[in-house]
Amino acid sequence: MLIHNAKLITWGEPNEILEDGSLLIEDDIITELGTSAEMLETYPQAERIDAGGQYVMPGNICAHTHFYGAFARGMAIPGRAPRDFPEILRKLWWPLDQSLTLEDVRYSALVSLVDAIKHGTTTLIDHHASPNAIDGSLDVIADAVEQAGLRAVLCYEVTDRGGEEKAQAGIRENIRFLQRMKDANASNGRIAATFGLHASLTLSESTLEACREAVPKGVGFHIHVAEHEADEYDSLEKSGERVVDRLHKHGILGVNSIAAHAVHVDAREVELLKETETWVTHQPRSNMNNAVGAARVDSMMRTGVHMGLGNDGFMNAMWEEWKTAYLLHKVANRDPRRFPGDLLVEMAVYNNAELAASFFPGVSIGVLENGARADLIFVDYHATTPLTSGNLPWHIVFGFHESMITTTIVAGRVLMRNRELQTLDEEEITAKSRELAKQVWERYVTYVPAD
Ligand SMILES: [Zn+2]
């Protein structure tokens, strides 16, 4: 497939913008970049897509999300409003995830995937919970991802909040799915697996130990870390140690592990995250919504912590997350120099690409270059001021919008063309989702604890 008449944003290092560019895709790989004139002459037989002068760039990557939360949109929480994050967990997320059946899991994934294709998010690292439908839940999500054609990394969150049997079932589900992905030689595929853990505050010493023992060599963990102070208080009470120290002691950290949030970590915990090369993901929309605080992202990045950007189940519109991050750290620090566009790009583009590629080894992701995976989007953006590779981050923050994305391609396959979905039936999925969500909401209220 030959894409021509495009302004190519490569997100290479350094980033380049190639006016009137063209790229050739063979199977799922970008094999050549050049000017439109050259490439059309060299490959006259190739199937062509005329980008019509749009920007063509790598698809966005989401480093931490929850497909299972899709049915929370518009749902009422009975009784008084939760006053803090622990109450949000007890009154919203925990009763909601208990209400999910495998069919709900399928449709909450499908609606999230429709949203991702439409908004140009081509790789998603998901963290799943459905404590009354654990066995096989990752297969159901994997089926939906297969159908959508996107790229995803899946795991099941192990927790003690449903008792020992469910903790064991969670461990089994992760191990089974990791093995299945290994057997399927998933390194050539679009789906990968990791091992999910909820958070230190719902994991006992013995469960952490069991997870460490169960995990295959070379596989890391995906866990929430110090999202709210409660995680630190709980850890100190349980183990006498802060969360990151506790997880380090249990062998949970490392280059293949993801610690989501890290809002309340102290200086030594930041050092440990850096020393162990653990990935830390930042989700500013969620942090603001839950009123948990602003992670010290500038400081952590300056210390050398590897940081990526996720959305924690908010819309799979990653530029919205960029904009929120860009604004949050300025107001939180009362300093307009905080979290500038270039640092934002380091987190959201380069670091996310490195994190995603670590799950699909051997081939780069998130860059337009020879030999990279062909995951890309077309953006119908008409700059009203000069746009260069240097000021692109600020054009994205102040000018780009996901509604400008017209075409989404993953692994060389067109998933949306001129805003028309090619792999998923949005009408059918949304109709079914509305019907299922209504039933989930009815079950949900039966699980909400009394005030
Ligand atoms: Zn999360």
Side-chain angles (χ1 to χ4, degrees):
M1 180 196 301
L2 186 75
I3 295 167
H4 64 102
N5 192 16
K7 298 186 192 80
L8 300 180
I9 296 172
T10 65
W11 283 140
E13 295 189 72
N15 183 35
E16 284 183 283
I17 300 179
L18 309 174
E19 301 286 337
D20 197 22
S22 169
L23 56 82
L24 185 70
I25 297 171
E26 287 178 43
D27 299 322
D28 58 343
I29 300 291
I30 298 167
T31 52
E32 199 172 330
L33 268 66
T35 65
S36 290
E38 267 162 30
M39 298 280 276
L40 287 168
E41 198 184 308
T42 317
Y43 301 101
Q45 306 298 330
E47 177 202 344
R48 293 178 186 183
I49 294 187
D50 183 346
Q54 293 179 89
Y55 286 93
V56 172
M57 63 195 296
N60 286 320
I61 294 167
C62 174
H64 173 78
T65 194
H66 302 281
F67 299 154
Y68 81 82
F71 294 159
R73 188 180 295 175
M75 187 176 77
I77 301 175
R80 62 173 172 77
R83 67 177 169 203
D84 57 18
F85 181 62
E87 280 203 2
I88 291 171
L89 290 177
R90 282 196 296 273
K91 295 191 70 172
L92 171 57
W93 297 114
W94 295 350
L96 176 68
D97 68 21
Q98 290 183 78
S99 308
L100 301 174
T101 65
L102 285 180
E103 196 178 26
D104 301 325
V105 170
R106 178 182 306 280
Y107 276 85
S108 58
L110 285 169
V111 294
S112 303
L113 296 165
V114 165
D115 183 55
I117 295 172
K118 288 172 79 172
H119 299 129
T121 304
T122 51
T123 299
L124 301 113
I125 303 182
D126 187 60
H127 193 271
H128 176 64
S130 53
N132 290 320
I134 300 174
D135 296 347
S137 57
L138 296 179
D139 289 344
V140 167
I141 300 171
D143 282 352
V145 174
E146 273 299 339
Q147 206 184 326
L150 286 160
R151 198 178 293 286
V153 181
L154 309 180
C155 69
Y156 187 87
E157 64 150 66
V158 175
T159 174
D160 286 315
R161 71 183 152 91
E164 197 179 330
E165 205 179 298
K166 286 188 179 179
Q168 288 301 325
I171 294 173
R172 280 198 311 273
E173 182 63 7
N174 279 302
I175 295 301
R176 187 191 62 73
F177 191 72
L178 277 158
Q179 189 61 46
R180 188 191 143 197
M181 289 297 102
K182 196 174 157 207
D183 293 345
N185 191 16
S187 61
N188 295 326
R190 288 180 287 96
I191 304 175
T194 184
F195 194 110
L197 297 170
H198 172 242
S200 172
L201 87 162
T202 68
L203 288 158
S204 68
E205 294 285 289
S206 60
T207 301
L208 282 175
E209 205 49 53
C211 292
R212 176 69 258 178
E213 276 169 24
V215 78
K217 205 173 171 333
V219 174
F221 296 90
H222 184 180
I223 180 170
H224 296 103
V225 168
E227 184 169 359
H228 181 270
E229 295 93 326
D231 203 18
E232 293 288 3
Y233 299 155
D234 172 89
S235 178
L236 286 164
E237 202 171 295
K238 265 189 208 149
S239 67
E241 292 178 297
R242 292 183 67 87
V243 173
V244 175
D245 298 73
R246 179 175 186 235
L247 297 177
H248 184 45
K249 184 185 74 190
H250 284 283
I252 302 299
L253 306 179
V255 68
N256 297 313
S257 289
I258 299 171
H261 301 298
V263 177
H264 294 279
V265 290
D266 76 0
R268 175 57 187 151
E269 290 177 290
V270 172
E271 230 171 43
L272 269 175
L273 291 165
K274 182 208 165 189
E275 283 168 16
T276 55
E277 299 181 66
T278 304
W279 284 94
V280 172
T281 67
H282 180 45
Q283 290 73 224
R285 283 183 292 182
S286 163
N287 293 162
M288 292 169 75
N289 187 46
N290 291 327
V292 295
R296 286 169 299 164
V297 292
D298 297 63
S299 303
M300 281 195 272
M301 288 178 80
R302 211 157 71 80
T303 307
V305 175
H306 296 166
M307 294 204 64
L309 189 70
N311 67 22
D312 216 10
F314 271 70
M315 275 185 93
N316 292 308
M318 291 307 292
W319 293 325
E320 284 194 17
E321 203 73 46
W322 285 45
K323 292 168 193 180
T324 310
Y326 185 83
L327 300 174
L328 167 63
H329 300 289
K330 290 171 179 57
V331 70
N333 293 285
R334 299 288 311 277
D335 181 351
R337 294 165 295 188
R338 291 294 184 118
F339 211 50
D342 43 357
L343 200 60
L344 177 53
V345 163
E346 188 181 326
M347 178 192 282
V349 175
Y350 297 113
N351 290 357
N352 272 17
E354 190 184 332
L355 173 60
S358 72
F359 291 103
F360 300 95
V363 184
S364 44
I365 297 181
V367 60
L368 304 187
E369 66 181 17
N370 295 349
R373 295 187 192 271
D375 297 0
L376 38 101
I377 55 177
F378 293 11
V379 188
D380 191 19
Y381 177 67
H382 301 267
T384 51
T385 56
L387 189 163
T388 64
S389 56
N391 72 10
L392 174 63
W394 290 268
H395 269 274
I396 295 179
V397 168
F398 294 103
F400 277 40
H401 193 271
E402 288 81 359
S403 62
M404 297 169 183
I405 295 168
T406 63
T407 294
T408 301
I409 296 174
V410 174
R413 183 174 172 209
V414 181
L415 310 185
M416 179 171 76
R417 176 93 177 101
N418 296 332
R419 295 197 172 88
E420 286 195 9
L421 297 184
Q422 305 292 308
T423 52
L424 297 177
D425 181 344
E426 184 179 11
E427 208 174 315
E428 183 272 326
I429 290 168
T430 50
K432 182 77 178 171
S433 164
R434 277 193 300 274
E435 183 190 309
L436 290 173
K438 189 165 171 275
Q439 296 163 24
V440 168
W441 291 4
E442 283 166 15
R443 285 194 293 277
Y444 156 80
V445 291
T446 69
Y447 287 110
V448 179
D451 277 339

